[in-house]
């Protein structure tokens, strides 16, 4: 199982590098800690909230217990403090009674130090637990996986090339939805190419961009995938899409316009849109096409 994970990370690294070299889009939202690590930035305790949110929340609670212990030791005599700290814990239950092993939460076979499987968490070793847990999760456990990704990436492109970018740019390069978040009608009218019956001044063109701007993010992803084959846009949004998304009027005598569905030529980013007369009909027909065509491929 471990070898399969390492092999998968190596392939992932290779694919990411190949996408960079070939200028291809990937819908692969890498985590913030992974991007930081790939750029050689040491991971911090706060990165646990992205990697293991439940562990992060538990650590925050345990940190509160540790601070309370220090406060008691500073305010009380040694004998009184020793007695008072024994009752510290979570949810009113002393730490010693919670039977928490000195291991990575959820992985009883991963000890934080030698003999950790046989050791239980208490107020006396809490400081060591809070120090060792992030080290094991953020360094020891993930380093082999990071190395596998680097190995795969370096088979195509030197991993040092990523250092040309900041963390936010690496995130956007491989899986950000930033290009889908701030659409405006005027922006889309300018970015789209209207031909064969439509222009940017056409009523249906205006209805289309207004409907698109009102869609929630998951549906925007569906629309972009419907038109381009990938649910995300390049850096720069529709303005950077090549070829540009072309919208043409779809003509058919088989059915009334309000019953027709849009269709696409995905390889050319080409949307064939019937001349709908209302936003409600356009939205209804567009959503039917976008969702029902998911995973479908036809030659025409």
């Amino acid at each position: 199982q471990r070898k399969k994970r390492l092999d998968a990370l190596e392939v992932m690294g290779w694919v990411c590098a190949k996408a960079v070299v070939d200028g291809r889009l990937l819908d692969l939202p890498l985590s913030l800690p992974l991007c930081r690590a790939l750029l050689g930035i040491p991971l911090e305790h706060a990165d646990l909230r992205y990697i293991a949110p439940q562990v992060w929340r538990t650590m925050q609670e345990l940190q509160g217990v540790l601070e309370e212990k220090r406060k008691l030791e500073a305010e009380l005599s040694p004998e009184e403090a020793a007695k008072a700290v024994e009752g510290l814990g979570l949810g009113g239950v002393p730490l010693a009674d919670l039977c928490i092993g000195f291991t990575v939460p959820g992985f009883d076979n991963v000890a934080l130090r030698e003999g950790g499987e046989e050791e239980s968490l208490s107020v006396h070793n809490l400081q060591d637990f809070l120090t060792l847990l992030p080290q094991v999760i953020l360094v020891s456990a993930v380093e082999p996986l990071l190395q596998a990704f680097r190995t795969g990436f370096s088979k195509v492109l030197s991993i040092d090339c990523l250092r040309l970018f900041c963390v936010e740019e690496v995130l956007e390069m491989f899986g950000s939805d930033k290009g889908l978040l701030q659409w405006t009608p005027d922006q889309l009218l300018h970015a789209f190419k209207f031909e064969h019956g439509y222009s940017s001044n056409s009523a249906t063109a205006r209805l289309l961009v207004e409907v698109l701007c009102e869609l929630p993010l998951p549906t925007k992803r569906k629309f972009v995938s419907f038109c381009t084959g990938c649910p995300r846009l390049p850096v720069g949004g529709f303005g950077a899409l090549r070829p540009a998304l072309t919208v043409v009027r779809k003509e058919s005598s088989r059915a009334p316009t309000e019953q027709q569905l849009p269709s696409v030529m995905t390889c050319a980013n080409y949307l064939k849109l019937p001349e709908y007369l209302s936003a409600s009909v356009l939205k209804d027909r567009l959503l039917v096409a976008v969702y029902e065509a998911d995973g479908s491929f036809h030659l025409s």
Side-chain angles (χ1 to χ4, degrees):
Q1 189 69 22
R2 180 177 177 81
K3 186 178 185 304
K4 287 183 179 179
R5 291 196 184 100
L6 294 175
D7 290 343
L9 264 294
E10 185 171 335
V11 171
M12 187 185 299
W14 184 91
V15 170
C16 286
K18 188 65 175 173
V20 172
V21 171
D22 294 347
R24 302 292 183 182
L25 285 176
L26 282 181
D27 185 34
L28 185 65
L30 303 181
S31 69
L32 179 62
L34 176 56
C35 292
R36 286 167 52 85
L38 292 177
L39 295 179
I41 303 173
L43 297 183
E44 303 171 348
H45 289 192
D47 289 315
L48 274 175
R49 59 185 163 182
Y50 302 104
I51 299 174
Q54 185 58 55
V55 173
W56 166 254
R57 287 190 290 269
T58 300
M59 282 192 61
Q60 294 300 98
E61 294 176 357
L62 291 175
Q63 186 64 44
V65 174
L66 181 61
E67 291 173 0
E68 181 64 22
K69 174 177 179 285
R70 290 171 175 168
K71 181 180 178 181
L72 291 173
E73 290 175 339
E75 295 177 349
L76 303 177
S77 65
E79 295 78 10
E80 292 174 328
K83 184 177 180 180
V85 298
E86 292 296 336
L88 296 177
L90 301 177
V93 181
L95 279 185
D97 294 341
L98 291 174
C99 300
I100 300 176
F102 217 77
T103 58
V104 175
F107 299 89
D108 294 338
N109 60 328
V110 182
L112 297 183
R113 61 186 177 194
E114 187 175 354
E117 302 93 334
E118 307 298 328
E119 188 176 357
S120 295
L121 179 64
S122 70
V123 290
H124 305 294
N125 58 17
L126 180 56
Q127 176 65 72
D128 292 343
F129 183 87
L130 293 175
T131 301
L132 293 172
L133 183 58
Q135 292 179 0
V136 171
I137 295 179
L138 299 176
V139 181
S140 307
V142 301
E143 184 55 39
L145 302 175
L146 290 173
Q147 187 55 47
F149 187 100
R150 294 189 189 103
T151 298
F153 195 98
S154 298
K155 288 182 178 180
V156 179
L157 188 67
S158 172
I159 194 71
D160 291 335
C161 292
L162 286 180
R163 298 180 186 271
L164 295 172
F165 307 98
C166 65
V167 174
E168 291 74 17
E169 289 171 332
V170 174
L171 284 169
E172 189 172 355
M173 188 186 307
F174 293 118
S176 171
D177 286 327
K178 185 177 180 179
L180 307 177
L181 298 179
Q182 298 179 340
W183 290 355
T184 65
D186 289 341
Q187 177 194 62
L188 297 186
L189 284 173
H190 180 75
F192 292 174
K193 187 178 180 182
F194 295 96
E195 294 183 343
H196 302 300
Y198 287 141
S199 72
S200 58
N201 295 320
S202 300
T204 303
R206 169 61 66 171
L207 291 177
L208 172 65
V209 297
E210 289 176 352
V211 166
L212 291 178
C213 290
E214 295 174 356
L215 297 177
L217 179 59
T219 308
K220 286 181 178 179
R221 285 173 57 85
K222 286 284 188 181
F223 171 77
V224 173
S225 180
F226 177 66
C227 294
T228 70
C230 180
R232 56 179 296 263
L233 293 169
V235 177
F238 275 117
L241 187 65
R242 297 292 181 272
L245 181 63
T246 302
V247 183
V248 301
R249 185 170 65 188
K250 182 177 184 179
E251 297 182 358
S252 175
S253 59
R254 298 178 183 177
T257 300
E258 63 271 14
Q259 295 181 12
Q260 297 176 33
L261 292 173
S263 58
V264 293
M265 288 194 296
T266 304
C267 57
N269 301 337
Y270 201 84
L271 173 63
K272 291 177 277 188
L273 185 72
E275 193 172 8
Y276 301 116
L277 300 179
S278 72
S280 60
V281 173
L282 189 153
K283 182 178 181 179
D284 176 74
R285 298 288 82 193
L286 182 64
L287 293 185
V288 169
V290 165
Y291 280 93
E292 294 299 326
D294 191 23
S296 176
F297 179 81
H298 302 278
L299 296 175
S300 62

